[in-house]
Amino acid sequence: MQISWAWGAAMTHKIGKTLVKGGGISGIKASLDLAQAGYQVLLVEASDHLGGVTSQLDRQFPTAGCGMCRMLPLIDRDQASRHCLRRGLFHENIETCLSTDLVSVQGEPGDFTIALQQQTSQVNPALCIGCGQCEAVCPKEVPDPFNAGLTKRKAIYRPCPQSFSYAYAIDGNACNGCRACGEVCPTHAIQFVAQERETFHVLVVDDEKIVRDSMKEWLTEEGYQVHTAASGQKALDLMAENHFHMMLTDIKMPGMDGVELLTRAKALQPDIAVVMMTAYAAVESAVAAMKQGALEYVIKPFAPETVLALVDKRFGEFAAANARKETVDALILASGSDLFTPDQGINPYGYGRIPGVVTSLEFERMLSAAGPGRTQLVHPVTGRQIQRIAWFQCVGSRDLTYGSTFCSSVCCMISIKQSMLAKTLYPQVADACIFYMDMRTPGKDSELYADQARQAGVDFVRARVHSLAPDATDPVAGIHVRWADLSGKMSDSRFDLVVLAVGQNPDTMMQAFAKDHDIDTDAWGFVQSPPFDPADTSRPGIFACGTVTGPKDIHASVIQASAAAMSAMETMAAAGRRTLSADTAPSDFAMAVEQPRIMVAVCRCNGLLAKNLDMPEEPAPFCRFLAQDPEVVQVEMADRLCESAGRQMLGQKIEACHPNRLVVAACGPCMRMDKIRVLAELANLPVRCVAAVDVMACAEIRQDRESVKVPGHEPGRQAEPDVAEPKIQGIPRMYHMKARQAARFIQTGISRVKTMSLNKGTGEDVVCRALVVGGGIAGMTAALAIAGQGYAVDLVEKQAVLGGNLVWLHPGPGEGRTFLEQQKEAVLSHALIRVHTQTLAGGTTGRPGQWTTRLIPVPETKESLNRAGTDPFEKQAVKSIDKQAAGSSDKPVSGSSESFVRHGVVVLAVGGTQADPGIVTRNTGPGIYTQQGFQQILDNGKMDTQSPLQVAMIQCWGSREKDRNYCSRVCCPRALEQALFVKDLHPDTRVMVFFRDMMTPGVSEDLYTRARQAGIVFVSYEPGRAPVLDADDNGCRITWLDVILGKTMEMIVDYAVVATGVTPQLTPELAGSFGARLDRCHFFDQADIKWQPVEALQPRVLACGLCLAPGGLADCLATARAAAARAVAILSREQIRPGRDMARVKTALCSLCQVCIPACPYGARQIDSLTRTLVIDPLACQSCGICAAMCPSGAAVVDGLSAGHMLDIIHTTLSDVRQGDYYDPFTQA
Amino acid sequence: MIPSPKPEKPAPDPVLSARVAQIKDLVASCIQCGTCSASCPNLCFMDMTPRKMWRFLLCDRVEEVFSSDTFSMCSSCYVCTLRCPRGLPLTRAMAGLKQIGFHLHMARFRRAGLFYGAFMDNIAQYGRVREMEMMTRYFLALKDPLVPLGYAAMGVRLLAKNKLRPRLPSRGRGKLAHLFEPLDPQEQ
């Protein structure tokens, strides 16, 4: 009864659907998170490829490689394609619309009506096989935007060099309409369908020929279909034959006048829009015509723009009516940002004028193997090797003259990465020099990376170059750079290349969209998020992530994308939407054990197969050769499998022979997951029983190798069918090498389906309960988000009260405090959240996903209650108590109230505290505070506000060096806030801030500007030369070496505030009990800093807040919601099913020697303590196969990559190399 | 150890500090990037870089600012103003410092002040500079017979190349007085 009710409820609820605008990194991540949680996604991208600007960046820091594929789903991974994301993204739950604009959004959360407009494609993506013949014949060459204009491409082009998934596209602006491409296209994919404007018919009626002709010229140039008529009657005659969308008519005409024509035209075609053209004299009649239904009138003489604006407007309405309408529940805006173009304004660096001045994006393409220099780093004009490169920071950001007062956040790290790459990849690069104002390396890994760059020989020069001039001796290839260092000494140098680190600017299209849709933007034009909702916008149900909300790096974008996905899930849950339950696993176990009956279908590809592989149309010996395999029941030649007609033909053949495996040999695009899926449906087989082989690739491989001289072999020998050799064992000698190679390729496909995994299709059950360790704001936010999706949560907090650092950060009434109280109230009153305060989590047992964790009550001590908000200078004793508390977690306290919780995921949110300042002065005295202690003085109003004060703030105290070599991100903004607050108390108060680099990335740069304007003095110091504090009972003296002034200065201060940064509270024991680790700075070690930023290698272990990475409140909230999104994706599954290729243990053979456990780089293997067997976590295993190589007894295997299959592949690859095999490998004994 | 909690500073001149405060406001959001110093064509004649001088000004070390002649070397070419990433009116601030030096009759800027005075008188009278007359007036105002000797060699060279044309001074104030009158209150 209960089951039928649940079924009924599920049927009545719609499946949640979210639209994601923008297919860059954030858009892809948000889509994948939603898709993994079982919601439907409509991914809309305005350009012709996914990946956004990241698709143009080949390598990212810190790995100097690309890890985009690490975003691919681990949960039900077979739902998605498992290849490089630059090649394309396919997921069952994601519908991707490329070259599509989101035109309008109406409605409210849970019921948005959206209109999508797709640019008309001249190339049919379903038919295009990407052979590139069209490109070869296209006569038109234009600068390639993908290579930032550094190379040329044809008017018909492949949108992204790595893609095999995307069809070619025609650049409408560049195409000259010669149609040469259409003639050579083997699949007739190029259709020259009318552009949208060509379908818009305009009728111009005027008795003056010159008016008719000029109007026709103007409108035709804009792409409209224009007809003309000299009189009213002729116009009506034309209207009888054609349908017109718009008519422009003169009023005064002999015979029938314009007003009468209007009446009669409206009678004929009521939806026609009519514009009256009139001279001054007839304005009254024009007004009368308006009353009769004319759209508008224009007074002669008029400028072309006047009429064009009217036609464009009407066309817009016409196009909107044709747009695709959809209903979605939520929207995520992720359409990215623009880059500053440095040739605007005064252009002091001569971008566009001096040949060697390039932007960072252009340099990124120069480093790429698909870029202009291929594998060489050469000057864009002279083509000479580049030896000396300079990077200029803050071009178009932190610049008040352009209105870009924010910091672009990413340029410093991009320049460091580029300099490292240039130095390491190209030995000829002798000099790499970065000119900067503040080297902004926020976050936990950036500082170390900058140090590595210094060690690699990259020069960091704190100077701003004012302008550039070509070098006097070598004006084309050389650039003369002159700068003043901090002491005022002038230097100059010659560089071959200057890279301008251009800033991210808000996208103007997005600004217009936001304005039209009541979405608030900030002063610069970025979409503004409310203070405590890191991915929300001012409009409910619409969320934003990535650089739409401000300049951001990949790491922050990916986190915010997950947070936005979480918000969208909440909206959909609130609207009562359900998730797609993953299709019940097909029972392919029976199919896997039964004798394979393989059918091979070879697609003729419209004759292209024969042409490219030099073999006949009906290659009977070829088919016979493939049919030699006893398990191959049939080899069929098919044609045009990309079209439904071709597939139907194949379907009939399949029905005739009932295979249980299918191998399709066709072109590259047929390997796309969506196409394989269609074929699998056709054959009524599980997807894993179908293999696709790209035989067209053989054509290319051969072309490269044909130059190899082989005795007796004549390259390019024409093929002839061999009918005179009936007892054929291999492919006849007459066949070209390409055909042989193709046959071998197909054999690997056959071997793949033969050795398909014996997967039972059942996974392990998910324990639908989450454990959140840490009751700070991050932990509470994560708990609320998970519980909001209907999953039970246990929240464990060591302290007696929830709130963590927010308790001391917001002690008094205010926005922050209200938010904290609201969250606390929500957590405590939530039915699905069990809160355990004064409790430690410890002693976890069980395997991943089936953990049982012991919750141990902490004995209540007086000090532990007071711990929050103590200043180390006031209470040195706290440390020892802290140690006692930490010790108690190792030895569980035996108590009756101890409990156990069984959970499937864990979110570590234990937070962080202010770092210990260590020994600050030789003498101790009053007046020296940490930031936290000073904040308490300010909050309690203990400060003397009557007289002006002297305040010194020292940043980076003990951080960004030695064992805490990371920037804590929070101290600089906090110091600025405190300085401004103090300055407000008394205007004559003098505040000095001593800094190494002011870390105010993004819009917090505004705070820095305000502090400067308020008269706060900033003094920079070098590492190792920090200001010295000297204190006694009389006061505190600060002494520093001022590099700019060139002398040692001193000041007596009332308050000296040291910013010590954040230190995480995560213990290795806690992380280790779930199989996670700490990184070198004692933060949570992420699986991947950029692409999997909140997960450990074991994806069920998540972290957020300060124990994950240092950051402000907004960062903590974003990570908390991102972690929750990942947790929900796991909990939403009833079962975690193993993927198609997955490591497996043959338990009977396994001797439990355990060599495979440490060998697994993903920590996927464990001994189940209950059953004493080796178990593999299907979420963590990446099927790398190391375990199979390590196992001494052959117990570790990887399904889908069996030894037999791998040997087949090796044989195929190497058979060319073996001399004896070269001719006819199949006839060898 | 620490001698006294706070050293007693001599009371600053109220007129001076008020005027300096105005200039300080102009450059308050300076981030000391050094663009002004690197781009200044007269840097080699300055005893401290503009950046250092702004730094002294922002630290309220007025005495150091006026003990240097950096600002008096500014030739108002506006390069630093154009290049400054903060968009600060540096040339205007330089001019402001010059005015303070001039109006407060600081001994250090006597020569520079007299030179500017002679220059402006010349401009007010003729609408352009007559070099010979301007320099004569300047030397007269200096009341130091040794100074002209230092310029003698250059004067001879310029005369030899026909770059200077000795002319007798015209009489009267000229016709340009009404152009300059409205500016006088602003100058004050």
Side-chain angles (χ1 to χ4, degrees), chain A residues 54-233:
Chain A
T54 314
S55 62
Q56 286 170 278
L57 316 179
D58 279 14
R59 297 154 193 271
Q60 286 98 36
F61 110 91
T63 53
C66 171
M68 217 192 275
C69 54
R70 304 202 71 172
M71 290 200 295
L72 282 171
L74 294 170
I75 307 159
D76 267 338
R77 55 186 84 179
D78 287 349
Q79 283 191 318
S81 54
R82 300 208 62 77
H83 52 64
C84 171
L85 276 172
R86 290 167 194 263
R87 305 190 121 196
L89 164 69
F90 300 97
H91 192 286
E92 277 180 16
N93 299 351
I94 301 175
E95 185 191 347
T96 310
C97 304
L98 294 172
S99 306
T100 306
D101 284 320
L102 174 62
V103 198
S104 72
V105 179
Q106 282 163 347
E108 50 193 38
D111 187 24
F112 284 111
T113 307
I114 50 113
L116 298 177
Q117 202 155 24
Q118 188 162 26
Q119 289 160 31
T120 317
S121 169
Q122 307 278 52
V123 183
N124 184 350
L127 293 182
C128 178
I129 57 168
C131 64
Q133 295 184 42
C134 48
E135 197 178 4
V137 296
C138 180
K140 198 74 195 286
E141 270 199 336
V142 283
D144 184 1
F146 189 82
N147 271 340
L150 294 169
T151 56
K152 299 268 181 172
R153 68 150 160 78
K154 295 291 182 65
I156 186 161
Y157 63 101
R158 193 194 276 262
C160 177
Q162 290 95 348
S163 78
F164 75 162
S165 319
Y166 309 127
Y168 271 71
I170 293 181
D171 180 351
N173 296 326
C175 177
N176 62 2
C178 70
R179 303 202 169 189
C181 48
E183 285 160 21
V184 297
C185 180
T187 57
H188 308 295
I190 305 170
Q191 291 152 335
F192 300 110
V193 287
Q195 287 292 318
E196 217 151 20
R197 286 194 167 194
E198 284 175 32
T199 60
F200 189 73
H201 294 256
V202 184
L203 178 60
V204 178
V205 191
D206 202 303
D207 53 332
E208 287 176 69
K209 187 168 186 299
I210 184 152
V211 176
R212 289 200 305 269
D213 288 353
S214 50
M215 295 273 288
K216 181 165 184 173
E217 193 179 314
W218 297 340
L219 292 168
T220 312
E221 197 167 293
E222 290 296 310
Y224 296 109
Q225 196 76 36
V226 187
H227 304 255
T228 56
S231 70
Q233 192 51 52

Side-chain angles (χ1 to χ4, degrees), chain A residues 77 108 110 129 173 356 423 427 510 524 579-580 590 601 665 705 723 768 879 899 909 965 978 1029 1162 1209 1215:
Chain A
R77 55 186 84 179
E108 50 193 38
I129 57 168
N173 296 326
K423 269 270 183 194
M510 189 63 222
W524 300 276
T579 56
L580 278 163
R705 293 187 192 166
V723 284
C768 265
K879 262 175 97 178
S899 60
N965 194 9
Q978 288 179 345
L1029 284 170
Y1162 302 99
I1209 291 177
S1215 53

Side-chain angles (χ1 to χ4, degrees), chain A residues 61-63 70 443-446 553-556 558-559 908 969 1066 1071 1075-1099 1101-1111 1115 1119 1122-1123 1161-1162:
Chain A
F61 110 91
T63 53
R70 304 202 71 172
K444 62 181 186 181
D445 273 8
S446 315
D553 60 358
I554 292 174
H555 164 82
V558 167
I559 288 176
L908 300 174
R969 300 188 65 175
L1066 191 60
R1077 286 189 297 248
L1078 304 193
D1079 65 8
R1080 56 175 184 90
C1081 303
H1082 314 294
F1083 287 96
F1084 180 80
D1085 194 17
Q1086 298 140 314
D1088 190 286
I1089 178 110
K1090 280 198 149 52
W1091 307 102
Q1092 289 169 291
V1094 294
E1095 299 133 288
L1097 272 175
Q1098 164 53 257
V1101 189
L1102 305 155
C1104 59
L1106 283 183
C1107 71
L1108 173 70
D1115 299 310
T1119 54
Y1162 302 99

Side-chain angles (χ1 to χ4, degrees), chain B residues 100-111:
Chain B
I100 295 174
F102 182 68
H103 287 296
L104 297 185
H105 301 291
M106 291 184 182
R108 191 178 167 85
F109 306 107
R110 181 172 163 265
R111 272 185 72 169

Side-chain angles (χ1 to χ4, degrees), chain A residues 346 399-401 437 464 466-467 482 485-486 490 990 1009 1012 1017-1019 1032 1042 1044-1045 1049 1052, chain B residues 1-2 5 28-31 33 35 38-39 43 51-52 55 58-61 82-87:
Chain A
I346 57 172
D399 197 330
L400 272 66
T401 54
M437 301 203 283
R464 196 168 182 283
H466 59 90
S467 54
R482 193 161 179 268
D485 68 9
L486 273 184
M490 293 300 300
R990 170 187 283 276
T1009 308
R1012 291 262 186 194
V1017 178
F1018 290 83
V1019 183
D1032 66 12
D1042 195 311
I1044 293 177
L1045 300 182
M1049 316 272 285
I1052 309 292
Chain B
M1 285 292 111
I2 294 171
S29 63
C30 168
I31 49 172
C33 63
T35 306
S39 64
L43 187 71
R51 164 162 58 181
K52 190 166 172 180
R55 171 54 148 257
L58 290 171
C59 294
D60 293 326
R61 305 284 285 257
L82 201 60
R83 297 283 185 261
C84 176
R86 310 301 274 182

